[in-house]
Amino acid sequence: MAIASITVSETPLVLYTLRRADDALILGHRLSEWCGHAPMLEEDMALANMGLDLLGQARELYSYAARVEGKGNDEDKFAYLRDVRQYRNLLLLEQPNGDFARTMVRQFFYSAFADLYWRAMMKSADATLAAIAAKSEKESAYHLRHSSEWIVRLGDGTEQSHARAQTAIDHLWAFTGEMFEVDASERALIDAGVAVAPASLRPQWLKTVAGVVGEATLALPKSDWMQQGGREGRHSEHLGHLLSELQSMPRTFPGAVW
Amino acid sequence: MYTQALNTSDADDRPVEDATRAAAFQARIDAEERIEPNDWMPAAYRKTLTRQISQHAHSEIVGMLPEGNWITRAPSLRRKAALLAKVQDECGHGLYLYAAAETLGASREELVDLMLAGKAKYSSIFNYPTLTWADIGTIGWLVDGAAIMNQIPLCRCSYGPYARAMIRVCKEESFHQRQGFEIMVTLARGSEEQKAMAQDALNRWWWPVLMMFGPPDQASQHGDTSTRWKIKRFSNDELRQKFVDATVPQAQYLGLTIPDPGMKQNEAGNWEYSAIDWDEFKQVLAGNGPCNRDRLAARRKAHDEGAWVREAAEAYAEKRRHRQTAQAAE
């Protein structure tokens, strides 16, 4: 007997917090898939480190969303008992690991954003989000440094690594626009000083990304077509498979405590 | 995690060494002094340790696979984070054990190549599959428990770098062991289904865990040299008995039944267990365990698919060196 999904009262603050929590969980989960299979032991350690940081962020954000919602949900119910249409993460973060270049470019695009985002969020009018931001900013700074170093190594390494890194950039580029999008529910939070306007971060993001990509002798695509939908629960086909694995235990054993 | 007791000897390799140096070396060992990388040591001592430490390192790395099998399916976010951190710890153990082996003059690359070629062993416990979440609890409770039993004496091993690595490893292992036991406690207090899951895991892991201590003392070929060199301080059977005596009350506390109907407590208070199926042990050691092929294949795949990444990192480092040299020359 499978267990039904929960319902969530998505007030603007709950929705906003869940979106960030889902980002952290889904990327953390993807990174955890590498554990034991990385190109070198040092990278097994680093990918697990970043995954653990993100899982920690997800847990704090889910717990906060649960407190704000006040309907008896908790971090595990949010993570394990919402279906693919209820997930609110960025499409970028659910993209499969692919090769190491794909994983690092995904990390790099997101961390370059998250670093700026969390730093700005430290000034949030919401004290809990500001506190989570203060911790997450330190972690994102490390993720950005680590992934930037790899982009440069891969881009300026061998012919093969260069080609793989360029392919990854070309493949993932169309998923970067979503990071800067805002809907009506977020706009109210931005006006209240709870959230930051992500569009304001884009110039600095682009500068960081272009700088590293240039140093890596790689190029950013000319195309400005961007995919969207994750924030509203319109995902790629990949997320459903991720969730079926992630959620298999609580879905199989309803109500069990582990 | 842990390496299996060694059962081959290199004593035959050390015929023509300087008798005076050998005597002085043994005197230092007898005086409980630590041997350090730059100290003179018999070639056989070096070879034995290189093999033992590298097998231990391989075990940590291969040991990431059975537990890693459950990271993406851990039943709660707390368990997921704890398991990922635990498997990361195993990787860390592998790294500093390879570093300890390198102090003896072997490179990590050549040691790993031996493992990937199937020429170096790792603990055969990792050739068993993790089928349910209860296996993750059981591995922490029993496999890490057995590892600690084996490794605590290694903290006093005569070779300094290995002994020091073991101190850190043991601290982390005992944390893992408590974490695993706590998973078992939760299952034991859970639904009938969860209790059955816990019992099933214990049934499958119990005998392979007892085999982790290596062959019985009568069959062990080499205890002597390793004991004289103070690499090994207790016999396989002594450690196995210690483990069984410590574990029986824990199983009782959990309300689980050890799958050995013949087990009984003797007058001295020790739990006497039934005969171990050493044929199974030999089969797993020979490559015929349920997961031997999968484990090696997974490690080879990671190694092969990561080759272009390692090459890129080397090529980039080389380019950087060139540029720096060129800059310095300007």
Side-chain angles (χ1 to χ4, degrees):
Chain A
M1 185 188 73
I3 187 167
S5 296
I6 56 167
T7 53
V8 183
S9 311
E10 285 184 340
T11 62
L13 184 56
V14 169
L15 178 59
Y16 186 83
T17 308
L18 282 179
R19 284 170 169 172
R20 275 75 210 168
D22 289 348
D23 285 348
L25 175 62
I26 297 302
L27 183 56
H29 182 95
R30 281 292 187 220
L31 292 174
S32 80
E33 292 173 355
W34 272 104
C35 192
H37 308 281
M40 59 192 82
L41 298 180
E42 287 79 359
E43 214 43 39
D44 266 307
M45 301 288 288
L47 293 165
N49 251 336
M50 295 193 287
L52 283 165
D53 286 344
L54 289 160
L55 279 176
Q57 292 173 15
R59 294 184 62 194
E60 288 183 32
L61 289 161
Y62 282 134
S63 299
Y64 183 52
R67 284 204 302 280
V68 174
E69 189 200 21
K71 295 282 169 68
N73 286 323
D74 57 31
E75 59 172 37
D76 286 332
K77 284 184 181 163
F78 283 135
Y80 290 93
L81 298 177
R82 281 180 305 145
D83 70 20
V84 68
R85 300 283 283 116
Q86 293 174 293
Y87 260 76
R88 304 292 182 219
N89 59 281
L90 297 166
L91 298 174
L92 172 69
L93 307 178
E94 70 199 41
Q95 298 307 305
N97 286 338
D99 63 9
F100 185 72
R102 184 78 60 95
T103 291
M104 271 305 144
V105 169
R106 184 185 63 199
Q107 191 67 43
F108 170 62
F109 281 158
Y110 176 70
S111 300
F113 169 77
D115 186 45
L116 297 168
Y117 171 77
W118 288 121
R119 204 179 310 152
M121 280 296 285
M122 288 163 66
K123 299 193 191 87
S124 169
D126 183 303
T128 308
L129 289 180
I132 293 172
K135 178 169 166 285
S136 304
E137 194 276 325
K138 290 189 194 81
E139 295 165 348
S140 302
Y142 159 70
H143 303 176
L144 176 59
R145 195 169 68 241
H146 187 76
S147 56
S148 300
E149 285 168 3
W150 270 113
I151 301 306
V152 174
R153 270 186 216 117
L154 297 180
D156 196 14
T158 63
E159 209 172 301
Q160 188 188 14
S161 68
H162 179 91
R164 285 175 182 265
Q166 188 61 57
T167 303
I169 288 174
D170 295 345
H171 183 84
L172 294 171
W173 180 247
F175 298 108
T176 57
E178 201 182 18
M179 296 189 288
F180 306 99
E181 293 300 323
V182 159
D183 62 8
S185 102
E186 293 200 1
R187 198 164 305 282
L189 293 174
I190 292 168
D191 293 343
V194 169
V196 297
S200 68
L201 307 174
R202 189 154 194 280
Q204 183 57 46
W205 176 81
L206 194 58
K207 197 177 159 207
T208 304
V209 167
V212 171
V213 166
E215 191 191 341
T217 71
L218 297 161
L220 292 178
K222 298 273 182 285
S223 159
D224 57 2
W225 169 253
M226 292 291 160
Q227 298 289 349
Q228 286 179 41
R231 292 297 192 215
E232 284 76 46
R234 283 180 286 110
H235 290 277
S236 64
E237 291 177 347
H238 306 297
L239 185 63
H241 294 283
L242 185 158
L243 293 181
S244 67
E245 192 171 340
L246 171 77
Q247 300 181 338
S248 62
M249 288 292 288
R251 297 276 189 186
T252 309
F253 301 96
V257 175
W258 304 96
Chain B
M1 204 163 284
Y2 153 79
T3 191
Q4 202 154 269
L6 276 170
N7 297 295
T8 42
S9 173
D10 289 312
D12 301 339
D13 298 343
R14 32 161 227 125
V16 282
E17 249 148 15
D18 187 323
T20 328
R21 280 171 134 181
F25 174 82
Q26 189 60 49
R28 290 187 61 197
I29 300 246
D30 293 342
E32 297 285 336
E33 279 181 42
R34 289 280 170 275
I35 307 302
E36 296 299 336
N38 292 330
D39 297 347
W40 185 88
M41 62 187 82
Y45 178 84
R46 185 184 299 275
K47 194 171 168 188
T48 297
L49 271 166
T50 304
R51 192 180 45 206
Q52 175 161 345
I53 298 171
S54 62
Q55 284 186 355
H56 193 161
H58 303 329
S59 300
E60 300 284 357
I61 300 308
V62 176
M64 294 170 74
L65 298 171
E67 290 179 285
N69 182 39
W70 278 89
I71 291 172
T72 55
R73 289 179 293 165
S76 71
L77 293 184
R78 181 172 79 92
R79 294 293 186 201
K80 189 182 183 68
L83 182 58
L84 179 55
K86 186 197 168 187
V87 179
Q88 187 194 34
D89 281 349
E90 314 293 0
C91 185
H93 298 172
L95 268 173
Y96 44 83
L97 283 161
Y98 282 125
E102 286 186 325
T103 66
L104 291 159
S107 76
R108 195 213 296 188
E109 288 71 24
E110 63 185 288
L111 296 172
V112 167
D113 284 347
L114 284 174
M115 189 258 284
L116 295 176
K119 289 177 185 159
K121 288 190 169 34
Y122 56 86
S123 180
S124 43
I125 194 73
F126 303 120
N127 290 316
Y128 290 86
T130 51
L131 301 180
T132 72
W133 175 252
D135 292 36
I136 299 306
T138 307
I139 287 180
W141 172 35
L142 297 182
V143 176
D144 291 332
I148 293 165
M149 232 25 126
N150 257 307
Q151 286 169 188
I152 294 242
L154 285 173
C155 297
R156 293 186 290 131
C157 164
S158 58
Y159 189 57
Y162 193 30
R164 288 189 289 274
M166 279 306 101
I167 291 171
R168 180 159 165 198
V169 168
C170 282
K171 276 184 192 150
E172 293 183 353
E173 292 297 0
S174 65
F175 179 68
H176 297 164
Q177 201 264 349
R178 284 199 297 276
Q179 216 169 50
F181 190 70
E182 199 253 324
I183 291 177
M184 298 308 282
V185 170
T186 309
L187 293 174
R189 289 179 186 156
S191 65
E192 286 309 313
E193 223 171 356
Q194 286 173 302
K195 282 179 206 164
M197 196 187 272
Q199 182 64 53
D200 169 63
L202 175 58
N203 293 348
R204 283 181 288 111
W205 288 94
W206 176 254
W207 293 105
V209 165
L210 292 196
M211 295 173 199
M212 282 174 70
F213 295 92
D217 293 348
Q218 311 107 296
S220 189
Q221 310 156 14
H222 99 117
D224 288 356
T225 329
S226 271
T227 305
R228 200 174 70 238
W229 282 335
K230 299 201 172 160
I231 297 171
K232 194 174 174 64
R233 288 180 184 263
F234 296 98
S235 77
N236 295 353
D237 284 335
E238 282 169 344
L239 289 168
R240 189 165 16 242
Q241 187 61 54
K242 229 172 134 179
F243 172 79
V244 170
D245 291 340
T247 305
V248 170
Q250 294 168 354
Q252 287 170 340
Y253 174 84
L254 292 169
L256 298 176
T257 309
I258 287 177
D260 180 359
M263 182 178 259
K264 57 178 189 299
Q265 199 168 20
N266 64 23
E267 282 172 11
N270 300 121
W271 287 92
E272 292 175 2
Y273 46 90
S274 305
I276 293 171
D277 179 2
W278 292 111
D279 285 339
E280 176 180 327
F281 181 71
K282 280 180 206 144
Q283 285 299 326
V284 178
L285 219 54
N288 297 323
C291 298
N292 294 57
R293 285 168 187 79
D294 288 344
R295 300 292 184 238
L296 266 186
R299 286 313 307 162
R300 284 178 189 145
K301 185 166 182 280
H303 189 79
D304 293 348
E305 289 181 358
W308 69 270
V309 179
R310 298 190 299 274
E311 283 160 18
E314 273 175 41
Y316 176 72
E318 185 61 28
K319 281 186 199 177
R320 254 183 79 151
R321 269 194 297 277
H322 270 289
R323 282 176 208 150
Q324 279 164 353
T325 320
Q327 262 178 2
E330 274 171 22

